[in-house]
Structures are given as structure tokens and as C-alpha cells.
Amino acid sequence: MMASGYNAKEEDGHHSGAPGNGGAGAVKSKKPDNTAFKQQRLPAWQPILTAGTVLPAFFVIGLIFIPIGIGLFVTSNNIKEFEIDYTGIEASSPCYNCAQNYSWNSTSSCTCKVPFTLEQPFESNVFMYYGLSNFYQNHRRYVKSRDDSQLNGDLTSLKSPSKECDPYRTSDGLPIAPCGAIANSLFNDTLELYHLSNGTRTAVVLMKKGIAWWTDKNVKFRNPGGNANLTVAFQGTSKPVNWRTPVFELDPNDPDNNGFINEDFIVWMRTAALPTFRKLYRIIQKKVDAPTLASGKYELEVSYNYPVRSFDGRKRVILSTISWMGGKNPFLGIAYITVGSVCFFLAVVLLIIHHKYDNRCSSADIPN
Amino acid sequence: MDFSVLRNLISRYCVGEENWLDSRTVYIGQKEPPPGAAAYIPQRYPDNRIVSSKYTFWNFIPKNLFEQFRRIANFYFLVIFLVQLIIDTPTSPVTSGLPLFFVITVTAIKQGYEDWLRHKADCSINECPVDVVQQGKAARTQSHKLRVGDVVVVKEDETFPCDLVLLSSSREDGTCYVTTASLDGESSHKTYYAVPDTKAFRTDREVESLHATIECEQPQPDLYKFVGRINVYKDTEEPVARPLGSENLLLRGATLKNTHHIYAVAIYTGMETKMALNYQSKSQKRSAVEKSMNAFLIVYLCILISKAVINTVLKYAWQWSPDRDEPWYNHRTENERQRPVVIRAFTDFLAFMVLFNYIIPVSMYVTVEMQKFLGSYFITWDEEMFDEELGEGAQVNTSDLNEELGQVEYVFTDKTGTLTENNMEFIECCVDGNVYVPHAICNGQILSAASSIDMIDSSPGGYRREHEDLFFRALCLCHTVQVKEEETVDGIKRGFHQGRPTSFYISSSPDEVALVEGMKRLGYTYLRLKDNYMEILNKDDEIERFELLHVLNFDSVRRRMSVIVKSSSGEYLLFCKGADSSIFPRVVSGKVEQVKARVEQNAVEGLRTLCVAFRRLSPDDYQEACLLLTQAKLALQDREQRLAQAYDAIERDFVLLGATAVEDRLQEKAADTIESLHKAGMKVWVLTGDKMETAAATCYASKLFRRSTQILELTKKRTEEQSLHDVMFELSRTVLRQRSMSGLSVDCLDYGLIIDGATLTAVLKSGPEGNYREVFLEVSRNCSAVLCCRMAPLQKAQIVKLIKASKEHPITLAIGDGANDVSMILEAHVGI
């Protein structure tokens, strides 16, 4: 059809007719194959939406979803959760003083004690979280500000961290390890839990290991030059500007939890998607004969280091049990119940409409 | 050159206007005219190179990239990619770059390959050998080396390499026969004439000695229009000026037939030939889906930009407080702090653009392309579209338009070769109500079979016999058929007469060939025209000789032609054949009723009917007629008109002999196809270069017009009687009335419109004073079928364009086979 070729094309057209008549071989090769694919006869199924197919589908969806939703909702409701806000904004708050007198360069930490009462005993393993509000860990500048190869123990990155870490890349001419804004803003409040019963104050045993992902701990994060002698390994680097201690002193007692593979550090480095988030802090192992946390009076001892007032933040501690479906999450159950109910309701309405107004004598339009 | 291109561009919008200010002077044989004539100004013309390819080796990459990035989507992704490269981006540039460059590369390879094929085709055309007369002898050169003014020798069955003016021919009378099948689709032979002053130059040496210049208009695309003048210089005399018309102009693409060789001078070459001018620039066909996709793209682009703007504004609103902008845990670098706010805001805006660019998915285009590609293969593979005879299935030329096929509302079709097989066949004839049907198969037994068939009338033998003889003779004589002797191989095909050299009949009208061949099968063989004597071999194998005295040529106004012959017995006879409507009023005796009935019956069956009549002329009558004709022919002014008057005076008082029926065989299942197209609600337009009567007959045969169809005519004949305005007004009133009526009555009439080229030009041209264009559209939209006859190729394209531009923006489809359909096919959404 193109304008090319002028007469040549015309003549071609004439010639092609002649051999076509004569050469049967040529004809055969040009004839399209009679296969199911090429002739578009492949078996296909197209859903035809009729009352006969739609109504049962709705009923089935409704009947399946509602029990699932109820199950999820009940499970979620059985999970116990207790939340304490210790920011210290209000004057009545025990941490008010600490919050007010905060200064960046104080060496000693301010300690405050927050009493609280558990009405119900907490069974099984209890997870202790710290929560921050209005903290934008999802800011683009913030998220990028890290050097993963440095955190993986790479020696060259240790000495010359990635440009992404700026402005937390070097201090006083020395490379910062770990560099970047995320590491620099590590949550450094220390939280301890005491059970008050009959005037005695017993510390609740908090497990600080097992709170990070296995892959993070064993694959993604590695100390430079192995775990032995971190002081030497980190020589020639500087601590992040906001830190009190260098990275190799995060947990001096346990070489498996020190340096880059410190689990508190690993948990912090996994940035949260929303400005209000919680991160796992400690695990309270269940006891054999008694509830993990019996009901009664407790006291939370906070060494208040982390400033949040400047950005209107909040700090919380959350105690929670878990179930097979994870932490407390009523939404999933509600969603299931809602969808199931809507489907069931629609099914009923459509059934009524179908029965009442279907006055066609034949079922011609309903093949099934 | 540039100037003429511009002119051609303009001329495309005003075809048919004859206001050529400028002309060109061509020096035949590149020789300077003798001194004293106008000064020799060497003009620059393009060489005879035809270029249909888009790219050259050097400009392929930039030009192809430019073409591709003209697509909005491609350009958009390129911009996104560049932005990603420049700014600090949230996503990697690879994500948008890789798919983009994949698509671009694949498309470029495909287009490059196609263009390479075009280059090859161009090359083979440009390098085909041509004989040029140089220094008194023919020299062989390549087609693209031809220059304006070269004298070219063209041999039989060769194609003209450029637009030529005929100088002389191997035939004595300076005529040559040409078929323009590849130009306008008419496969009949046309006669072209040499100027009397040059037709004597019949050898290389003589041609070389010819001294002449040709003045003609600048190239224009109308195939049937040519105005020029030839100045022949003879020794010392004043130059003789002769007018040149389209009957002297041999067009590129046409083929010389039935003439041994001709000498002709090149006047338009290369891209200036009428053929090349008739090919519109090759624009890429875009499907409606793609167009709407582009529209959506723009909408989405707006959404994207507004989204990015809103987000940027919100970002800065949110960052208003320094706590949020730079909390202690998330400081800026020094560099960023120093950057001006405006630039920061702008890069933020770009970053948001990049972030949201997935609102226009790259994959959409890739997927759609893939789907189309596969779809075109499914069309190729379709078994039901496979033609057993040719061994070819459907061929998809472009995969861009597959989805359009389902949305076609208007079908434009070429008639000859598309609707019909362009193969006339004599079906039957009727003499005074007796019907004769030639048996095509058994040549020997025709006579007995034919004469015994269908005897309706049992009139006295002698009378009948006489009329029958006259009728057959009339058909044998009343034509302009040429006989071409063919001795060898082809004899097998048409060899009814063993032992004798068989012959081809060649004529400008396939009807005539069909008639003469039909006569042959009925026993009367037209042998040849020799020294103005027509020889006929009659039933009893006797040769009858008639002296051909005058031919009153066919024209579309009279719709008949006549010959005056003198039989061997000295009788003067006038035989006339023509359309029934033009013959019957002039008949004084004969069995009008029976013939009329038969004619009508045949017309219903879609056969093309002609009536045959004769008149015996006394010597006095003949003298008188002779005088009239000569006078008219010699008249300098109003020659046409006086000829018509003369014809009118001569062609009267006929005795009706009978009628013939010829069938232009329709393509297999053409009628079914058209009927189902109608049922599907599509409108079928037939655009043809043929005459109106022929075309109309075909339309009836192919059920395009049914018996119930009311025909609205918008033809030159009618517009000459009334003004165009009145006709248009009347038509629209009829159609509108029908529309209001059809609301009431269930069986609404459908209308068929017939329009011819000349009227169409008038309709389209009349911009300022009346809105005929609108009226025409209104009328034609209400017609289920429209027939446009006498169309030039560009007019076909104009029609398609007109419909395309109408309110509903319907999807159009054009079908054609000849080169004359190319512009129409290019214009329509879908071309077949």
C-alpha cells in the first residue's frame, strides 16, 4: 500500500499470480496451518454473569468471610496491650523535669520513674516496645543517609563512607562509623521495668537479644574484621556526633551484641514507614508456673536521653502479648466481617430481586 | 525546484483551477532554438529519479529518532529519563530508560528495514534502461539520467519512464495506444496522438534533426489536464505553433501497447511527473485508538503536572516550621542549604514528576504494540481469508490499524478490479425480441444453437432474417476496435479459428471488445480495418467488405456512437449503438416494445445494455451528412458544439434492431459482501474513474443500489440545467423529508447518491458563497450508498478527507488495487 515501488510493484502483483497456479508446492507452504492456536480456536472460558452464577458466589464469599473475620477479631481482642507515655510534656508527668532540663552536652543521664498498674496478668511471652510519634524516619533525606557496605563490615567504606551519609559523614576529619542520619539518631533511652509487690522492688528480666531479624543480624550487619577486638577495628573512626559512646561500646559485655551487630542498633536502622511507630525493645520470657507479668503495680525506670520536644514528638513504652496472628490488629478482622456481610447482604437482595422480577418464562439468557 | 514543490502543495488544495501563471519551455533534444527566437534560458529541472524512501544512510539515525520522538509518549519518556539523569532522583534512570530504548531500537530496526526495501525498489526503477536519442542514434541509458527535453524511444509493452509528449509513432497516422491501468485503473487502451508537424520524424536521425520547443504549464497533479504548445522551427520559416493537450501527453506509469515504438520528448521528470505528484506525502497512518490514547496521554500529563505542583506546594507548606524542615536528627548538607529556594523547589517539582510518572505506564505502549503485532499475525494466519487460487492469505502491511477494522463506518471502494473483475463478457443479444445467447464453450455449434434459442416472436422469415443480419453487422461495424494479429502461443487461448492467425481485439472500451467477441461467437467475425474497408467474415464464411466513411465518436452526453459505412452493394448505412435512453427517442420503427422489455429485464439483472439501430441513407442524405460533419470538424470556434449539432442532425429516424447485454463480471461474492456490509450498518461508497452509466450498472449488480433505492443524481448534466445551488437545495430537501417521513413509516426508503467528478469539484470549491460542502455532507450521510464517478485519484482522497472531517469523525476504510487508489488509501484510516 505504500507509495513505493510504483510499477515494479504492479508487475510483481501480476507475476505472483502465475506461479501460484502452477506450483502446487508453493501453494502448500503458504497456506496457513490449521492449528487451534493460529485459527484462534483455543479453548477459552468467558465468565457470563447471570443470577445463576453470581448469587451462589456472593453467598459463598459471605459465608466464608464472616467466620474468618470473627476469628481474627476475637484473637486480636484477646491480645493484651499496655501503653505508657513518658514524654514528660505535662507538668504532672514524672519525666517533666528531665524533659525540661534536657541539654545536648550533658554527660550524665537524667532518670525518671514512671509507675503504672497492670489490671490483668500478661500470659506467655511479653514484648516490650518503645514508640515514637511525629518522628519522620521515612523522610527521603533520612532514609538514604546510611552506608550499607560500611554496616556490612567493608573496610574501605569504614574509612571513607558513602556520600549519602552527608552531613553525618565525618566529624573532626575522621570518618564516622556508623555514618548517616539514621545511625546518628539512634534511640538511646534506657528502659527498665520493676515489679512492686508488698513493698519490694524486683527487676523484671528483659531479654535484649532475639529482637532483630535473623538476616539483618547475620547477613546485612557485620563488624569490620570480625567481632574480636572492636576497639582496634574501629580505630581511626569517630563516633556519631549525637552518641555518648562509640559504636564498639554499645554492649561491652557481649561481643555478639556489640558494634554494628548490636540488636538495638539493628532494630533502629530498619526505618519505619510512618511518623508514629513502635520498635521492639526487649522480650520478657514467659515463666513456667506464673503469668509472665502478674497483675499489680509496676515501675518503669527511664534514663531520659532522647529529645523529642523540639519536633513535638512523643515517647511511649508498650507492653504487649502476641498471638498466632501477630500483635494487636483489630482491623483485619473488621475488614473480613464487613466484606463478608456486604456480600451476604447483596446476595440476599439480588435473590429477592431475581425471584420477584424474573418473569421470563424461558431460561434462554441463563445458560447454566 | 523548491518553488515548484510549494506550488504543487498549493495546487493540491485547488485542483481543477487553471490559473497557471508560470510555464516552462522545453527544448527538444536539448538544442538551442535558431537565433531570433526567444532567448535560450537553460532551466533547471530535477532529474528523473524517483525517491519514495524516507531516509538515507546518513540521516537515518537523527531523522528516525526525530520521527519517533514526535510521538508524545516517546517524547514524554525521554523527558522523564533526562530529568532522572539530571536531578537527584528518587528512582533510578534505568527504570524508565531501559524500556524506552528497547522500544525505540526495535522500532528503528523495523523502520530501517522497511526503508531499505523501498530503497531497493527505487533503485530498480531508477536504473531500468531507457533509450534516448543522442547524436542521431538511440543510446541506452538509465532511467534516472533522463533530463527534461530528452527524446526517448519507447517500445511496445514498455512503461513510460516519465511524462512525455508524443512526437511520432511507428504507426503511419502518428497515434499510439496506451494502457493506463496502473494510473487510473482503466485497463482499456487509449489512443494518443502526435502533433501533425512532428509525426513525420520517424527515425532516430530524423528526430535528431527536429528543431522545436515546447511550452507547457508547470507540473500539476491532475492526470487529465495538460496545456501546452509546441513550436516547430523549420529552416528559415517562422516557427509553427501547435497546441498540445492531454491527448499528446503520455504519462509516467502508463504502458505502450499495440504500437511498435514511439518517439517522445520528456517534459516532466522524476518527482514532477503527474504520477509522483499524485502520491501524497507518506504520512504514517495512525489509528483512532492511538489518537485517543494520545489525547488521554495529554490529560494524564496534565494530571501529573498538577499533581507534582500540588505536592511541591504542600511540601513547602509542611516544611514551613523549621522543626519539620530540619529536625535535629535530619540535617541538610551545607550545599543544599546554600541552594536558592527557587531551584530547590524546581528540583522538588521534577522529583515529584519522576515519582509519579508511572501514571503513564511504559508497559502500556509495549503491550499494545505486542498485541497488535500478534493480531496482525492472526490475520495472516486466518484460514478463511486464504485464497486457494493465488496461494496467498491475507497480508498485513501495518499492524498499527488492526483495531480500526472493527470500527469502520464508511467503506470506500474502487470499482474496477475491486468490485468487478474488469472482464466484460457478452451475455446475450436480442433482435426484435428474439434472444440469442452465444454458447461460450462450443464454438462450432453456436449457430444452430443460437438461432433456435428463445423464439418469442415468429415474424415472417425474410424480415427477421434481414434484421438479424443487419444487427450482427451493425455490431461488427459500429465500434472503434483495433485488431491485433497474434500468431503464436496466445493462439491457443483464443484459437477458435484453427489454421488462421488469431487476433486480439483492442479498444478503449472493454464493452466493445466484449461485443465484437460475442459476435465472433455468433458467427460474424470482424477481421480488420484495411484501407478504410472493414472486413467481416459472416456466417457462411464469406468476407464482406464495408467502406468506413465516418465514425461519430462516442461521448458521454449523447451516450451513443455511430458509423456510416458503404456496403459492397453501394448502400449507405448508418449504424448506431448507445444507451437505451438515447436511442429510443430517435427510433421511428422497429419492435420497440419487445426490445424495451428485454432491455429493462437485463438492466435489472445488472447487465450493461446497449441498443442497436440503423438507418439507410440515400446518397443525398449521405452527402448532406458528410457536409455537416466536415463543416463541424473544420470549425475553429465552438467545434464541440457544432459537432454535437451535426451528430444530432444525422442520428435520427432510426430503425431499431435490437439490444445487447454485456456483463462486467463482479468479483465472487461481491454482492453478498456488500449486502452484509449494509446490514452491519456501514456505508459503502464506490469511487471510480469510470463513466456514470457503467458505474451505476455495477452498483445495481452488486446490490449496492437496490430496486427500492431512490437515486439522487448530482451530475454535470443536471448542474448544467439548474444551478448547483438549486440542485443541492433540492437534494437536501428530499433527504430531509425522507428522514421526517421515516419516523412514521416503517419501511424507510434508502437513498443512493450519484455524483461525478466535475460536480464534486464545484461542490468542494464553493467555499465562500454557499456552504455546499455541508449540504453535500448532510445529503451523503443520509444515503446508504454513494457512487462517485469520473474521479481523479486526488479527488478520491478529497472525498475520504471530507468524510473523515465530518462531525462524527467516523472511521473510514478504503479498498483499491490500482495506483489510482493510492492517495485514497493513504487518506483513509484503514487501507486495503
Side-chain angles (χ1 to χ4, degrees), chain B residues 455-469:
Chain B
M455 300 275 208
I456 302 166
D457 193 341
S458 53
S459 53
Y463 176 67
R464 209 195 82 206
R465 190 85 204 159
E466 190 201 337
H467 267 204
E468 196 185 295
D469 279 353

Side-chain angles (χ1 to χ4, degrees), chain A residues 6-325:
Chain A
Y6 294 115
N7 331 312
K9 212 157 194 181
E10 293 286 319
E11 278 162 21
D12 282 352
H14 287 302
H15 290 313
S16 63
N21 289 326
V27 176
K28 227 167 207 175
S29 67
K30 269 189 175 178
K31 188 169 169 108
D33 302 338
N34 186 11
T35 56
F37 174 68
K38 287 192 173 179
Q39 299 305 319
Q40 304 187 45
R41 277 187 271 103
L42 284 178
W45 179 78
Q46 287 160 318
I48 300 160
L49 299 177
T50 60
T53 54
V54 171
L55 286 180
F58 271 165
F59 271 115
V60 167
I61 291 172
L63 290 179
I64 292 175
F65 274 34
I66 293 174
I68 292 177
I70 291 170
L72 288 174
F73 189 70
V74 168
T75 318
S76 173
N77 270 5
N78 283 341
I79 292 169
K80 298 191 183 77
E81 214 176 73
F82 191 83
E83 206 172 298
I84 314 139
D85 190 316
Y86 69 93
T87 323
I89 303 295
E90 303 85 8
S92 61
S93 169
C95 291
Y96 180 71
N97 284 335
C98 285
Q100 290 298 307
N101 304 332
Y102 183 81
S103 77
W104 278 107
N105 38 14
S106 72
T107 46
S108 64
S109 59
C110 167
T111 310
C112 55
K113 291 174 181 164
V114 186
F116 64 95
T117 308
L118 288 183
E119 303 292 340
Q120 286 177 316
F122 277 42
E123 307 280 350
S124 185
N125 283 352
V126 176
F127 289 77
M128 185 175 173
Y129 303 89
Y130 60 87
L132 293 176
S133 296
N134 219 6
F135 189 101
Y136 287 87
Q137 261 203 319
N138 55 4
H139 195 286
R140 189 153 78 89
R141 210 186 315 134
Y142 185 83
V143 170
K144 285 200 306 178
S145 184
R146 63 192 286 166
D147 185 350
D148 278 323
S149 69
Q150 189 195 45
L151 295 173
N152 198 28
D154 189 271
L155 286 171
T156 46
S157 300
L158 184 72
K159 297 289 188 238
S160 58
S162 148
K163 286 233 169 25
E164 305 279 359
C165 282
D166 268 335
Y168 305 97
R169 188 159 162 265
T170 54
S171 87
D172 309 328
L174 286 176
I176 294 177
C179 76
I182 311 177
N184 184 56
S185 56
L186 174 70
F187 181 76
N188 59 354
D189 279 3
T190 315
L191 309 166
E192 276 163 71
L193 202 57
Y194 296 92
H195 186 204
L196 307 173
S197 62
N198 312 326
T200 59
R201 186 167 178 265
T202 43
V204 176
V205 182
L206 303 174
M207 294 280 301
K208 60 163 93 171
K209 284 172 80 176
I211 55 173
W213 293 15
W214 187 88
T215 45
D216 280 1
K217 168 113 182 165
N218 294 290
V219 181
K220 206 174 168 189
F221 290 81
R222 272 195 214 126
N223 279 323
N227 293 345
N229 218 346
L230 290 180
T231 327
V232 179
F234 283 104
Q235 210 151 39
T237 62
S238 159
K239 69 178 174 63
V241 282
N242 287 358
W243 285 21
R244 299 257 163 84
T245 56
V247 67
F248 48 86
E249 280 170 22
L250 283 175
D251 190 353
N253 306 322
D254 186 355
D256 267 349
N257 196 26
N258 203 2
F260 289 156
I261 56 169
N262 180 276
E263 293 199 14
D264 283 326
F265 174 66
I266 294 172
V267 168
W268 179 255
M269 291 304 284
R270 196 156 272 282
T271 52
L274 296 172
T276 298
F277 60 91
R278 59 170 72 164
K279 283 181 188 293
L280 188 54
Y281 184 63
R282 294 291 182 260
I283 298 171
I284 304 164
Q285 215 99 49
K286 66 177 171 191
K287 291 170 189 165
V288 186
D289 46 349
T292 321
L293 290 178
S295 55
K297 285 188 187 302
Y298 286 84
E299 193 176 69
L300 179 72
E301 195 176 296
V302 183
S303 58
Y304 199 105
N305 298 321
Y306 207 67
V308 292
R309 271 188 64 216
S310 63
F311 54 87
D312 289 334
R314 290 290 200 158
K315 295 199 283 192
R316 291 161 297 147
V317 164
I318 303 110
L319 293 168
S320 167
T321 61
I322 58 160
S323 69
W324 54 268
M325 57 163 280

Side-chain angles (χ1 to χ4, degrees), chain B residues 533-569:
Chain B
Y533 279 95
M534 293 176 115
E535 293 182 3
I536 292 176
L537 187 75
N538 71 6
K539 264 200 274 203
D540 311 320
D541 267 350
E542 291 161 7
I543 292 181
E544 294 176 17
R545 284 160 61 91
F546 294 89
E547 190 184 352
L548 180 63
L549 298 170
H550 283 287
V551 178
L552 284 62
N553 272 327
F554 180 87
D555 67 57
S556 54
V557 180
R558 272 162 56 233
R559 300 206 286 182
R560 59 179 178 265
M561 72 161 287
S562 311
V563 287
I564 301 174
V565 295
K566 186 175 162 193
S567 72
S568 44
S569 56

Side-chain angles (χ1 to χ4, degrees), chain B residues 73 83 100 110 154 194 208 221 231 465 538 548 576 593 652 679 741 770:
Chain B
V83 165
L100 174 70
K110 187 180 138 212
V154 182
E208 180 65 21
N231 298 315
R465 190 85 204 159
N538 71 6
L548 180 63
C576 178
E593 286 312 310
R652 61 189 162 80
K679 268 187 204 149
M741 253 167 55

Side-chain angles (χ1 to χ4, degrees), chain B residues 566-623:
Chain B
K566 186 175 162 193
S567 72
S568 44
S569 56
E571 257 183 316
Y572 291 102
L573 293 168
L574 176 101
F575 292 112
C576 178
K577 76 169 187 233
D580 44 6
S581 56
S582 60
I583 296 281
F584 284 132
R586 295 165 180 277
V587 167
V588 286
S589 69
K591 311 217 159 168
V592 178
E593 286 312 310
Q594 282 104 326
V595 175
K596 211 172 207 167
R598 193 71 207 168
V599 163
E600 264 162 26
Q601 195 185 330
N602 283 334
V604 174
E605 288 165 14
L607 301 175
R608 296 148 64 108
T609 54
L610 287 174
C611 290
V612 180
F614 89 107
R615 178 182 164 206
R616 244 177 259 276
L617 298 174
S618 64
D620 292 345
D621 287 341
Y622 171 67
Q623 290 304 333

